[in-house]
Amino acid sequence: MTTASAPGKIILFGEHAVVYGRPALAAPVAQVHADVEVLDSDSAGIWINAPDIDLHAELNTLPSDHPLAAVIHNLFFIARTSPFPSGREVRGEGRFPNLNIQISSTIPVASGLGSGAAVTVALTRALSAHIHYPMTDEEINAFAYEIEKLYHGTPSGIDNTVVTYAKPVYFIKGQPIETFKVGAPFTIVIGDTGIRAPTKESVGDVRKLWEADKARWEKIFAEMEDISFAARHVIKEGWIEMLGALMDENHALLQQLTVSSPDLDRLFSAAHKAGALGAKLSGGGRGGNIIALVEAGQAEAVASSLNQAGAKHTIITTIS
Ligand code: PMV
């Protein structure tokens, strides 16, 4: 049996702008994770069990563009066709081995916590190890990015990067991976609206806005870039009290971009009423999560205020 897991993630600053080449900051959330087990099987075929999404199917019964099927097909293809260094031996060459793949995840789906990327990364790690085709983080990240395109259309690559490396990342599309320093750990409360909003749709709608008036939206993206840049500095220095205002500003820009929603804005206000230092939506928006920056001692109060305002669940996490 081979196992692997990958964490969830939050985007701290710069979502959407990151699709247009601006920087964004994101961090792993270890409290939620995707876990994959791969076992040899006596029965024919590759069986995938993913109870969280009600899936129990043999690989060949899934459409080939199904993200899980795509991971498995493409991984076997690469493992068989690429010249691999000595020591790598792909088992079951010429046919697929008989396997049982068990996928479970505590990351809510389509809520901006990177569930798709986490499942892809954990599955790729477990499966590649199981067939004796170990991949480096760099290879896994590049592979997961290709799979992300099936979920999102034009992803920036931030989700797969944070989830693969499980480190805070200052991300610019197409540039080498840069982690960022955290001068003083800080506490974030994540509040889930419970509304599942596909990132593909909000990203597509933003693209329509951008195409209709590039000058206007590039100006907004430039403001988001300034915020991300400032936030990286503030986080590095440990000036956490300054971070809240940057989050509020980023949220206001995301509202202009039409990716907030009444539910997200209600949670934003609830976080502030309970004493949060700042808050913003995180991820694609329209649903999904709010993140609120809090003094450690305020975390429970903010979480309960979010619950009262309708959050379906909350997570308290520390960025360090
Ligand atoms: O997958 P989500 O919902 O966390 O959103 C990713 C962030 C976006 O910037 C909106 C899209 C992207 O590909 O970077």
Side-chain angles (χ1 to χ4, degrees), residues 9 11 15-16 18-19 112 152 154-159 199 203 283-284:
K9 70 99 205 13
I11 296 187
E15 50 275 271
H16 288 288
V18 69
V19 176
H152 290 331
T154 55
S156 63
I158 191 168
D159 281 22
T199 301
V203 168

